[in-house]
Structure formats: C-alpha cells, structure tokens
Amino acid sequence: MFGKRGGNSDTPELKPVSPAAPSVQPAAEAPVQSTALDVKPELPKAQAPAIAPAAVHVAAPPPSENASDKTEEYYDTKTSIFSALIDTIDLSQLSQMEPEAAREEIRDIVSDIISIKNLAMSIAEQEEILQDICNDVLGYGPLEPLLARDDIADIMINGAKDAFIEVEGKVEKARVRFRDNTQLMNICQRIVSQVGRRVDESSPICDARLADGSRVNVIAPPLAIDGPALTIRKFKKDKLTLDQLVKFGSITPEGADILQIIGKVRCNTIISGGTGSGKTTLLNCMSAYAGEEERIITCEDSAELQLQQPHVVRLETRPPNLEGEGQITMTDLVKNCLRMRPERIIVGEVRGSEVFDLLQAMNTGHDGSMGTIHANTPRECLSRIESMIAMGGFNLPAKTVREIIVGSIDVIIQAARLRDGSRRITHVTEVIGLEGDVITTQDLFVYKIDGEDANGKIIGKHVSTGIGRPAFWDRARYYNEEGRLAAALDSANEDNQ
C-alpha cells in the first residue's frame, strides 16, 4: 500500500508495508525501485496535501485537556512528522481501507517516524500528536476537538490563524489554528463535497451541512481576503424539547403547554427571530407534536431539521452547476410540495418569493404548516412577509396581500437572543384579522425584562396577557384539546395575579 521515498534527507525512506503489519525502516544506501502502484508523484513538503478523500472520514475522540496550550515547537514537530507521513503513504490506496483500519495504519507509521527521527516525547505528547495527525488525514483537522464539544453553539474560522467559538451565548477566541490557508481550504472542500457541493475560486460561496445536521457556510478567496471563512452552526447531539426549554427559562410551563397544543391542533405557525435566536431549534421542538400518521414534507436550503415522525420527506435546494444551470430554488421545492400530497409543509427558512407559495399552501388545506423568518418582532414579521411577496414580483394590492396573510397564518412565535446570551421566547402572538387595511394581532404571552443581576444576567419573566379564549379555541375543541388549553391559560393568568 505504501511506497518508500527517496531524494530527501529529512524524510525517512519507508519500505512497502501491508495493512496488517505496517513497519518503517531507515533507507538503504541503494534505493529499491517501487512499483507504479506504490509510488505517487513527489510533493514538496510545503504543499503536502492535508486531506484524504472524503470517503475516509471518521470522527475522532476529543483531545486531551492541554490540547489548547500547544506551543510553536509542537506545531513545528507536527509539521515535520506530517510531511514525512505524506511523503510515505499513498492517499488513494488509504481511502480504500475501512476508517478504523486506516486510522490504525496511520498511527503505526507515525509512531515509526517518531522513532526514526529520535524525537524526545512523553507517551502523552506522542499520543496527542498521533491523534492530531489522524484528524488531519482522516477527519476535519483542528476542527475535530471543537466539533466534539457539545457546549459550543457556533464555530467561526476567519482564516488559518483566527478561530472563535460561541459558548453560552458569548463569543470567545478558540486556541486552535490551522497550518495554513491551504489546509483550511482543503477541509472546507471536504465538508462541502460530502453533500455534493463545491467551493473554489469559480464558486466561492457555499452552504452545506455536517452529518449531524449542523449548518455550514464557506466563503473562499478571492471574496474572503484573509483566507477562507468557515462558519458552523452546531446542533446539540441530544435534540432539545419544550420541556428542556422550560428548564432553561426560555418559556414557562404554561406557555410550553400552549405551544404543544398549537403544534398538535395544526395551527399554521411562523417562527420569527433574529440570527442565532433559536428559530430552528424551536421549529424542531414544535414539529415533534405533529401526528405520526401525518405526511410531512420539509424544504430547506441545507437540510437541518431532524423530525422524528415516520412519514417525512426531506427536500433540499440545489445550486447551479459550473455552466450556471440546474439550480433548484426554494420556490421550486415549495411548488413541487403541493403535488406530493403533503399534510404539513415545513420550510426551514423563508427568505424570498417562496413565502407566497407557502401562504397559498397554508390556505388550501395544508393546516399545521410551519416556517421561520428573520424578524425582530411579530409585527415586523408581518411586514417582512409583505415585502418578500412584493419582491417576488407579485403585482397584488396591499389589502389583498394582507387578506392572504390573515387567512393563512394563525400564530407567530417570536424568539430572541438577549444581550447576556440567553435565548427566550418573547411573544406568542395570534393573527386575528383585518381592521380596514391593518392586520390585527393579540399576544397570548410576552416576556418582560425587569433588569439584570450583579453578573449581568437578564432578569425577567413571561407574562400572560389575560386572554381567556384565543382565536384558535374552536380548532382546539375540534381536536379535543380545549380542556387542556383552558387549564394552561387559567394557570398562566393566576400566576400574573
């Protein structure tokens, strides 16, 4: 599988080895000719590829606690060993091995390289450098320890030298780095290639996802001046539920009961909020209360939603190819949904003219449909819907557009990320009707901020507005949920007194 190298005094020449018994020996005085299968073209160390083909990827265990305190000497040593490894192995043949076997093969070769170079290392240091190099070849390199941490919400890489993470709503610098922008670009290409997309100079912007559904955005040079910019919106391995949101203080128990009822009785729902406010998480929570017998179709730019129902069809948009053809937009997907006999349509994020098709679907028997929109208040959400319909080229009177909105949307749930990093559901708002040309709404719950504590944490509470009979009362009664709805509202109103 592996062939020896010659002509480089810094790199040990390695005899061909088999996967079952890898071994490394110093170069002989007379180089032995290797077969064409074993030898690949000589690569300068500075340009050694940082990755193997995507099919080899396997997640690595998290690093040791001192991984974030690596010195320049550590990186120099690692670069020297990595260059020797790349000059030794044939990545094309390595990709044909099982992931665990490939990892063990690399570890054996690296251990022998360390011995040949007479590097003074403790067992812990050697294990750490072995793990890092395996991550570089088989995984996502320096990203692996960040992806392994469940407390990180966002990973933001600004070129090879700067990495930032969001933990508990606060952004901090991550003490990881990439060897250079070439390594970072290679990792970006590996991530996007796994979902059939590409990122390069001709197509420098790309949205993709990881295997766990985490959202990935890459913008590459020449658009990104200081090197590739990689942003990963991570999702927790254990999916959040409304009960957990109650524990976090995002909503009261009574409010959570009402949200469950809204999901169960098939109210058409829009989840509104700013960037990072938890819209997709809340959408996942709400969709959990759809019936298992319902046929649900999801439309997303990059598939993130992970519904638990058995009858789910997941659709994803497609960017244009190299010739600029073949693009499938969100509007195309939503229109096609109507021909697939859906009972609910869930749009991961409404950004443009597809909002009109979603409203039409909501108003033509697809009750319980949902979507998310970027907006800061429920009223602003309604205004944005009007604006997106206008930008879509629909030449309709304003009153007609508002009549469509009122006839389609039942509830707007507003999410927000507060200045202390906490996430709260700030409004549960019903869309009631029209008074003249104005859409009327009523709040069932609002979040009121009382101040902050000595540590800068926001102090506030969810307050019921005293509505005893919401507009979807008849729908709740149709689904035999009016008793539970009445109990939740009564309990919420008592808490205000």
Side-chain angles (χ1 to χ4, degrees), residues 137-196:
V137 178
L138 302 176
Y140 297 137
L143 289 178
E144 288 285 355
L146 303 181
L147 293 172
R149 289 177 53 182
D150 205 33
D151 61 331
I152 295 177
D154 288 275
I155 302 171
M156 296 153 280
I157 310 298
N158 307 336
K161 304 302 181 184
D162 292 322
F164 296 86
I165 56 176
E166 180 191 316
V167 180
E168 296 181 353
K170 297 293 185 179
V171 175
E172 60 187 56
K173 190 172 180 64
R175 290 189 288 180
V176 300
R177 73 176 195 182
F178 297 81
R179 184 173 62 253
D180 50 35
N181 283 330
T182 300
Q183 182 194 19
L184 175 57
M185 191 64 189
N186 285 336
I187 291 174
C188 293
Q189 289 171 339
R190 175 184 299 171
I191 291 173
V192 304
S193 68
Q194 290 181 336
V195 292

Side-chain angles (χ1 to χ4, degrees), residues 166-401:
E166 180 191 316
V167 180
E168 296 181 353
K170 297 293 185 179
V171 175
E172 60 187 56
K173 190 172 180 64
R175 290 189 288 180
V176 300
R177 73 176 195 182
F178 297 81
R179 184 173 62 253
D180 50 35
N181 283 330
T182 300
Q183 182 194 19
L184 175 57
M185 191 64 189
N186 285 336
I187 291 174
C188 293
Q189 289 171 339
R190 175 184 299 171
I191 291 173
V192 304
S193 68
Q194 290 181 336
V195 292
R197 302 195 176 185
R198 63 187 179 86
V199 58
D200 49 38
E201 287 190 3
S202 62
S203 179
I205 299 177
C206 181
D207 288 317
R209 66 179 185 277
L210 299 178
D212 63 355
S214 296
R215 182 187 313 163
V216 178
N217 176 267
V218 179
I219 181 164
L223 302 187
I225 298 173
D226 299 321
L230 171 66
T231 308
I232 301 176
R233 172 67 53 81
K234 284 188 61 186
F235 293 144
K236 290 183 178 294
K237 296 176 183 177
D238 299 326
K239 301 305 175 186
L240 289 176
T241 64
L242 284 179
D243 291 338
Q244 289 174 305
L245 294 185
V246 170
K247 292 179 182 178
F248 298 151
S250 297
I251 189 67
T252 62
E254 297 81 11
D257 287 341
I258 291 175
L259 293 186
Q260 290 181 23
I261 295 169
I262 288 172
K264 189 171 182 180
V265 305
R266 301 184 64 175
C267 290
N268 292 325
T269 305
I270 295 293
I271 297 174
S272 168
T275 299
S277 60
K279 298 186 299 297
T280 303
T281 297
L282 185 54
L283 185 58
N284 265 323
C285 293
M286 293 288 296
S287 63
Y289 299 98
E292 291 191 355
E293 73 284 355
E294 297 179 25
R295 176 174 169 85
I296 303 171
I297 301 179
T298 67
C299 304
E300 302 173 82
D301 281 322
S302 57
E304 304 163 357
L305 296 173
Q306 296 185 353
L307 277 61
Q308 305 304 314
Q309 286 78 5
H311 198 166
V312 176
V313 180
R314 304 171 69 204
L315 305 180
E316 186 178 60
T317 60
R318 186 178 71 184
N321 58 21
L322 286 172
E323 291 75 29
E325 300 176 349
Q327 181 179 20
I328 303 297
T329 66
M330 185 70 76
T331 299
D332 298 328
L333 292 184
V334 176
K335 284 182 177 179
N336 190 74
C337 279
L338 303 178
R339 306 183 183 98
M340 298 175 65
R341 199 204 168 276
E343 291 181 287
R344 294 190 195 228
I345 297 174
I346 297 180
V347 179
E349 187 168 332
V350 179
R351 298 181 181 178
S353 60
E354 68 271 9
V355 68
F356 186 75
D357 299 290
L358 178 61
L359 293 178
Q360 293 288 77
M362 289 177 168
N363 206 14
T364 54
H366 303 93
D367 294 338
S369 295
M370 301 180 186
T372 68
I373 286 181
H374 279 88
N376 295 320
T377 65
R379 179 60 61 179
E380 184 181 323
C381 172
L382 296 172
S383 298
R384 284 214 65 201
I385 292 174
E386 289 189 57
S387 300
M388 286 187 284
I389 291 175
M391 288 188 295
F394 299 99
N395 189 17
L396 298 172
K399 187 171 183 179
T400 301
V401 171

Side-chain angles (χ1 to χ4, degrees), residues 12 14 17 21-26 81 105-119 126 130:
L14 307 180
V17 299
S23 62
V24 181
Q25 298 180 1
I81 296 172
E105 191 81 7
I106 291 173
R107 291 173 67 88
D108 290 341
I109 298 296
V110 171
S111 296
D112 290 339
I113 291 174
I114 292 175
S115 299
I116 290 173
K117 287 179 172 288
N118 294 320
L119 298 175
Q126 182 171 333
L130 282 168

